[in-house]
Amino acid sequence: MSTLLNNAVASLIPTAAPLSNVVLIIGTFSILILVHLLSTRIFSSFKRDVHKKTFRTVSDAASLLSNPDSVLSRDGVKSSIAGYETLFAGAREKVGKTSTTDSIKNREKEYRSMVNSFYDLVTDFYEWGWGQSFHFAPRKKGETFEESIIRAEYYLALRTNIQPDSKVLDIGCGVGGPMRNIQHFTGADITGLTINQYQVNVANQYCEQRGISDKCRVIQGDFQYMTDAFEAESFDA
């Protein structure tokens, strides 16, 4: 094998080639191999994992480019950004332009599209920077960021007296990090509500991975119209 490799390399190097040419050829091959390895890592590494941060490194963040969960194509990203910016047209041209009655009424009319466009675009980036719980918490000395998040969620569960037989609703649940942690802590039955279908898809995928989809699920809905989704007095907390 080594003889074949030596012959292959030798065939690429002209007879009596200067040392600089040899170095150039070897350097070029090295760069091509490195590019191949990096591209393979970036475009094949994306895998959501409820048990750890999906995005841990720069290359994991780059794998967003090949995210099979995404609801947006490349063209979809462009149109989503354009649609969002349309609702704030003139903001960069004139102070107060988006504070007019017509501008505000337009956003009120199109708020669902506006919110959906926003979270279609930023959810993965939030998860990369934040983890699965999209909130902050007071951080005590010696705590990691993740430890402070979980402690705050457990404290909330204790203060609201969530019990194993409680029915709980998490309004604006994102990808469901807090509700899964609280379910793990209390054993309660928890339903999450978010207006964004992409977050619904991701959250329920995580619930399946953790094996708690019978006790923890997310549905798509608008918190301003919850009676469309739930009967009165359906939840304890």
Side-chain angles (χ1 to χ4, degrees), residues 122-136:
V122 306
T123 291
D124 286 344
F125 291 99
Y126 277 12
E127 194 175 338
W128 174 37
W130 241 328
Q132 295 167 29
S133 295
F134 297 170
H135 66 86
F136 291 107

Side-chain angles (χ1 to χ4, degrees), residues 181-203:
N181 288 334
I182 290 175
Q183 196 286 325
H184 175 74
F185 183 61
T186 64
D189 186 285
I190 307 180
T191 298
L193 182 74
T194 173
I195 199 171
N196 182 251
Q197 185 61 47
Y198 179 50
Q199 292 186 340
V200 172
N201 299 345
V202 172

Side-chain angles (χ1 to χ4, degrees), residues 25-222:
I25 292 171
I26 294 175
T28 301
F29 271 108
S30 299
I31 291 172
L32 289 173
I33 292 171
L34 180 61
V35 169
H36 172 71
L37 291 174
L38 286 174
S39 63
T40 300
R41 166 67 178 166
I42 289 172
F43 290 105
S44 65
S45 64
F46 187 90
K47 183 180 180 182
R48 291 192 180 277
D49 189 343
V50 72
H51 302 293
K52 59 185 179 183
K53 290 186 68 174
T54 298
F55 311 104
R56 301 181 305 279
T57 65
V58 173
S59 63
D60 286 334
S63 70
L64 287 168
L65 299 172
S66 60
N67 177 3
D69 299 330
S70 178
V71 295
L72 293 175
S73 63
R74 185 181 297 273
D75 290 337
V77 171
K78 292 180 180 178
S79 63
S80 187
I81 292 173
Y84 187 82
E85 289 187 337
T86 298
L87 296 172
F88 295 90
R92 296 185 179 91
E93 301 167 8
K94 183 180 179 181
V95 175
K97 181 72 173 179
T98 58
S99 299
T100 64
T101 300
D102 288 342
S103 180
I104 293 171
K105 284 184 177 180
N106 186 42
R107 286 195 296 279
E108 288 175 345
K109 179 183 177 182
E110 300 293 337
Y111 78 90
R112 293 190 186 193
S113 296
M114 179 176 67
V115 173
N116 258 316
S117 295
F118 180 79
Y119 284 109
D120 282 346
L121 291 167
V122 306
T123 291
D124 286 344
F125 291 99
Y126 277 12
E127 194 175 338
W128 174 37
W130 241 328
Q132 295 167 29
S133 295
F134 297 170
H135 66 86
F136 291 107
R139 190 170 170 184
K140 296 184 180 296
K141 185 176 181 179
E143 273 188 330
T144 64
F145 174 76
E146 289 78 11
E147 288 169 346
S148 71
I149 292 292
I150 293 175
R151 177 179 51 78
E153 292 166 357
Y154 287 0
Y155 177 76
L156 179 64
L158 288 171
R159 293 291 293 176
T160 51
N161 196 33
I162 296 175
Q163 301 295 319
D165 60 349
S166 295
K167 299 288 186 180
V168 180
L169 177 62
D170 182 357
I171 303 171
C173 63
V175 296
M179 59 182 282
R180 283 188 297 275
N181 288 334
I182 290 175
Q183 196 286 325
H184 175 74
F185 183 61
T186 64
D189 186 285
I190 307 180
T191 298
L193 182 74
T194 173
I195 199 171
N196 182 251
Q197 185 61 47
Y198 179 50
Q199 292 186 340
V200 172
N201 299 345
V202 172
N204 284 329
Q205 182 178 341
Y206 281 145
C207 291
E208 288 280 353
Q209 288 181 4
R210 185 168 279 188
I212 56 172
S213 56
D214 60 326
K215 299 283 287 183
C216 219
R217 84 289 303 163
V218 175
I219 67 171
Q220 192 274 336
D222 186 338

Side-chain angles (χ1 to χ4, degrees), residues 9-27:
V9 173
S11 68
L12 295 172
I13 304 175
T15 304
L19 181 60
S20 59
N21 287 353
V22 176
V23 172
L24 178 61
I25 292 171
I26 294 175

